[in-house]
Amino acid sequence: MKIKVINLVKIFMISVVCICFVVLVNGQDKTIIQNEEENKMEKATFAGGCFWCMESPFEELDGVIEVLAGYTGGHKENPTYEEVSTGKTGHLEAIQITFDPSIITYSELLDVFWKQINPTDIRGQFADRGEQYKTAIFYHSDEQKRLAEESKDKLQTSGKFQVDIATEIIPASIFYVAEDYHQDYYQKSPVNYQLYRAGSGREAYLKSIWEDTTNNNDSKFEKSSDEELKNRLTPLQFNVTQSCGTERAFDNEYWDNKKEGIYVDIVSGEPLFSSLDKFDSGTGWPSFTKPLEPDNILEKEDKSLFMSRTEVRSKYADSHLGHLFDDGPAPTGLRYCMNSAALRFIPKEDLEKEGYGQYKKLFE
């Protein structure tokens, strides 16, 4: 009897060891498979002026896994945007693409790259001037270098450009990922991104060179779905902007904000009001005498709550902002009574890095 018990124990222990071995092997197999898949991915690094304008053309391509905005090619470790913007760190604003070469080739990425830039500009890109805005291809292998040189030669002899192509082909070095607010800027502030892209001259130039072959997905603001907005906005922000709600007086973020800066649409980022036109209306809501950008404001008749009022909405995102009254101070006599929940405030010191540098002069 004792021998049988011992045998049973041995059998049980052997079974446990076998099961553990199988689990271990299977776990290793999964790790190996995952590592193999990751090893199949490649990287491409391009500098094409403002990195905001370089992300979106690549992010929607099949085979592109990730696109990051950052800085590379310089001598300063872990540079900040402020340091790079001086042009003294040697870094260029760039993007780094992780892609699956079995789906999209490096040559195809090069074709897209050339169609986003002015390759003959030696001082920067479009309205952006400085060392940090120059163009370059940072190759990660001898094969990438060969393909980049071939594509550059092909473009040079295409007849599209009458002067030499200035884009350099450089060995890849450490790529420093830029601050979070720079990542996917075209999604976070779509209207301001479009205004910046057009105002810089990039859009017009690319259309003149490449006609309809450029990526024109940025030419029109597309509002996010309700589900996406609910995930991105707070319940109060969603209720105010999408359901014409009203926040509580004296219990909102900006009614007593006295800092200098501008107010933009919480949904689209389109510029709406300036602190220079803000006044204390005594109502408990942020109030302004006039819009910063009148073209971004829409006025509609509102007959809800058994009264006739003028509703104020944003042009591109169609967000409900508040109401307009004629009891404001001079010189306009108007009171744009807004909901804080519909706005995002950008302090004057953050205007440039947030993409609203054109308004810095208002506070100088």
Side-chain angles (χ1 to χ4, degrees):
M1 184 69 177
K2 190 174 181 180
I3 295 174
K4 289 184 178 180
V5 171
I6 292 174
N7 289 336
L8 288 173
V9 171
K10 288 182 178 178
I11 293 171
F12 174 76
M13 291 179 67
I14 292 171
S15 299
V16 170
V17 171
C18 290
I19 291 172
C20 290
F21 178 76
V22 170
V23 171
L24 179 62
V25 170
N26 286 339
Q28 289 178 334
D29 286 346
K30 290 179 181 178
T31 302
I32 291 171
I33 291 172
Q34 183 178 356
N35 289 338
E36 286 180 348
E37 290 178 349
E38 291 177 354
N39 290 336
K40 290 178 182 177
M41 300 300 109
E42 293 185 14
K43 293 189 183 300
T45 305
F46 302 131
C50 175
F51 45 27
W52 293 341
C53 297
M54 295 296 291
E55 284 185 293
S56 63
F58 291 96
E59 284 200 331
E60 295 183 0
L61 298 176
D62 290 339
V64 169
I65 311 302
E66 182 181 49
V67 182
L68 294 172
Y71 318 109
T72 192
H75 53 78
K76 175 76 168 57
E77 291 186 6
N78 297 310
T80 65
Y81 174 77
E82 287 75 15
E83 291 172 330
V84 173
S85 64
T86 66
K88 297 178 181 180
T89 68
H91 289 288
L92 277 63
E93 286 195 10
I95 58 169
Q96 188 160 93
I97 304 164
T98 301
F99 66 100
D100 185 343
S102 68
I103 300 175
I104 188 168
T105 66
Y106 185 69
S107 292
E108 290 173 319
L109 293 177
L110 287 168
D111 288 342
V112 175
F113 166 73
W114 292 120
K115 293 175 182 177
Q116 310 308 316
I117 67 170
N118 175 0
T120 66
D121 194 337
I122 61 174
R123 297 182 297 158
Q125 281 293 282
F126 311 105
D128 295 317
R129 292 304 185 214
E131 292 295 317
Q132 70 273 29
Y133 294 119
K134 288 186 176 181
T135 62
I137 297 170
F138 295 88
Y139 60 85
H140 292 262
S141 66
D142 290 340
E143 178 65 7
Q144 284 193 357
K145 179 183 180 182
R146 182 184 68 80
L147 293 171
E149 289 175 342
E150 285 183 359
S151 69
K152 181 177 178 178
D153 291 341
K154 181 179 179 181
L155 191 65
Q156 185 69 74
T157 58
S158 67
K160 284 187 175 293
F161 307 101
Q162 303 305 311
V163 296
D164 290 341
I165 291 176
T167 302
E168 294 185 88
I169 299 174
I170 307 170
S173 53
I174 298 176
F175 182 88
Y176 297 99
V177 178
E179 296 82 349
D180 286 344
Y181 60 83
H182 286 305
Q183 307 301 327
D184 297 321
Y185 183 81
Y186 72 99
Q187 293 178 333
K188 295 173 181 175
S189 298
V191 172
N192 194 58
Y193 166 73
Q194 292 157 21
L195 294 173
Y196 170 82
R197 189 178 173 92
S200 70
R202 183 184 292 260
E203 200 68 36
Y205 173 83
L206 296 181
K207 286 181 179 178
S208 70
I209 296 296
W210 302 105
E211 298 180 343
D212 295 330
T213 63
T214 57
N215 184 321
N216 292 320
N217 292 334
D218 304 312
S219 61
K220 183 179 179 181
F221 171 69
E222 293 184 6
K223 187 175 177 179
S224 302
S225 66
D226 282 353
E227 183 178 354
E228 291 172 324
L229 289 176
K230 285 180 179 178
N231 290 331
R232 183 155 62 90
L233 304 177
T234 67
L236 178 59
Q237 290 169 340
F238 183 86
N239 180 49
V240 168
T241 59
Q242 307 305 305
S243 302
C244 299
T246 301
E247 64 195 5
R248 295 174 60 181
F250 301 101
D251 187 19
N252 55 80
E253 189 171 4
Y254 302 129
W255 76 272
D256 197 31
N257 183 29
K258 295 180 173 62
K259 295 180 180 179
E260 291 186 307
I262 68 171
Y263 295 81
V264 304
D265 186 293
I266 191 68
V267 174
S268 65
E270 54 197 289
L272 300 173
F273 297 97
S274 166
S275 62
L276 299 175
D277 306 308
K278 190 174 184 289
F279 69 99
D280 183 2
S281 63
T283 62
W285 288 287
S287 300
F288 305 86
T289 57
K290 64 180 181 180
L292 173 61
E293 294 288 357
D295 288 344
N296 292 346
I297 294 292
L298 297 178
E299 299 175 9
K300 295 184 177 182
E301 186 178 11
D302 178 7
K303 292 187 175 182
S304 63
L305 302 179
F306 306 103
M307 64 180 81
S308 179
R309 298 179 294 173
T310 299
E311 180 193 8
V312 178
R313 303 185 72 88
S314 61
K315 177 179 179 180
Y316 295 96
D318 194 33
S319 300
H320 170 74
L321 304 174
H323 289 86
L324 173 61
F325 302 94
D326 59 4
D327 57 2
T332 65
L334 300 175
R335 173 168 61 94
Y336 286 84
C337 187
M338 302 292 99
N339 287 279
S340 293
L343 306 174
R344 183 168 76 92
F345 176 69
I346 302 175
K348 64 178 182 180
E349 59 269 21
D350 292 340
L351 288 172
E352 185 171 2
K353 71 180 183 181
E354 290 267 8
Y356 300 89
Q358 67 268 38
Y359 299 108
K360 284 180 61 179
K361 60 186 179 183
L362 297 176
F363 305 98
E364 294 174 351

